[in-house]
Amino acid sequence: MSGVHATARIGARADGRGGTALPVLESDGPLALRRTRATGGEARVMLVGAMSGPLGGDRFAVEAEVGDGARLHVGSAAATIALPGQAKDEAHYDVRLTVADGGELRWLPEQLISAKGSDLFVATRAELAAGARLVLREEQVLGRVGEEPGRLTSRLTVRVAGRVVLDQELACGPSAPGGWDGPAVLAGQRAVGQLVVVRPEFRQSPTAARSVGEYARVMPLAGPAALVTAVAPDALRLRRALDEALADVDIR
């Protein structure tokens, strides 16, 4: 086996005083976790990349578990750049999220950039109890300025109370299935993103399908959840579109 293997872990628990403790905060190799200033009862963690990558053959994973009554916000210090490496193997980046009843997770990392010559498979899996809350953002940018993208495959799966509410996969770049850059998928845009918002209140009052601004579309899911999909010419306009959609959907 070639490449770097690393798994970082976060565990959040209610501290009994209205706040959130982090009994598990385990960095590993290039995946460094840093606790930052809390906001109210919400603990905040920053993921800091300690080296370039993922490169060809690397296998990275980040796991976060949020307990009953805990609130956790996870971000990243900078964009992640998938790069070609000496090994020609596909790189893997797995994100595994678990949220208990009464727990809340806001998973809001920076963009993933697919550089020319890279080959990365990203798998994000979220398992939520019936009363859990989630805001999850994914942003992919195909190529740095003026370059073609590498191959990027992204799969996103969300389960609530054991039921699948979302399971989608998108492959872009060289050797991806035909049509990925056509009018039915990216339509020539180079930045694509998703927001998943899970709230128990959606069971009684599901969100309506609608467009938000020029680049984003909101769709209700078969459960207490909503999906926002956006495509845009660049990372800046993608972030603005997703921020506008989040403000529209996630009214707390």
Side-chain angles (χ1 to χ4, degrees):
M1 299 294 289
S2 58
V4 176
H5 292 211
T7 300
R9 296 180 174 87
I10 308 168
R13 299 288 183 271
D15 65 5
R17 303 185 301 275
T20 299
L22 295 173
V24 179
L25 197 62
E26 299 177 1
S27 302
D28 187 14
L31 302 173
L33 299 171
R34 301 287 183 266
R35 180 165 189 167
T36 60
R37 185 185 297 272
T39 301
E42 180 184 74
R44 291 187 167 234
V45 174
M46 191 71 68
L47 178 62
V48 180
M51 59 181 284
S52 297
L55 309 176
D58 288 351
R59 289 182 175 269
F60 294 172
V62 182
E63 301 175 354
E65 182 180 351
V66 181
D68 183 6
R71 297 173 57 204
L72 176 64
H73 181 293
V74 179
S76 58
T80 298
I81 304 178
L83 296 166
Q86 292 183 343
K88 300 301 182 182
D89 299 335
E90 181 182 59
H92 287 254
Y93 200 129
D94 293 331
V95 176
R96 298 184 283 267
L97 311 174
T98 306
V99 187
D101 271 317
E104 179 176 342
L105 173 61
R106 299 180 74 83
W107 186 267
L108 300 170
E110 296 300 308
Q111 298 93 350
L112 169 63
I113 301 172
S114 174
K116 183 177 180 179
S118 63
D119 186 358
L120 177 63
F121 187 96
V122 180
T124 301
R125 295 183 291 276
E127 293 276 353
L128 282 73
R133 293 173 178 268
L134 173 72
V135 175
L136 183 152
R137 181 181 69 209
E138 286 192 340
E139 298 170 306
Q140 290 101 29
V141 180
L142 304 180
R144 293 168 292 193
V145 176
E147 78 171 5
E148 292 299 311
R151 178 180 169 89
L152 176 62
T153 305
S154 175
R155 183 166 185 176
L156 174 59
T157 306
V158 179
R159 294 166 56 95
V160 179
R163 180 184 181 188
V164 176
V165 299
L166 177 66
D167 190 351
Q168 68 175 24
E169 182 172 303
L170 176 65
C172 303
S175 74
W180 69 269
D181 202 21
V185 187
L186 297 188
Q189 308 283 20
R190 282 295 177 265
V192 57
Q194 296 78 231
L195 272 170
V196 179
V197 180
V198 179
R199 301 175 62 223
E201 292 85 352
F202 284 157
R203 288 191 177 88
Q204 286 72 41
S205 302
T207 191
R210 60 195 182 277
S211 295
V212 179
E214 182 178 358
Y215 299 115
R217 179 73 178 169
V218 180
M219 292 294 294
L221 298 177
L227 171 68
V228 178
T229 301
V231 293
D234 54 51
L236 179 60
R237 278 177 278 192
L238 177 68
R239 175 63 61 83
R240 287 175 176 169
L242 291 176
D243 282 350
E244 182 181 359
L246 181 59
D248 184 74
V249 173
D250 188 36
I251 299 173
R252 296 193 289 176

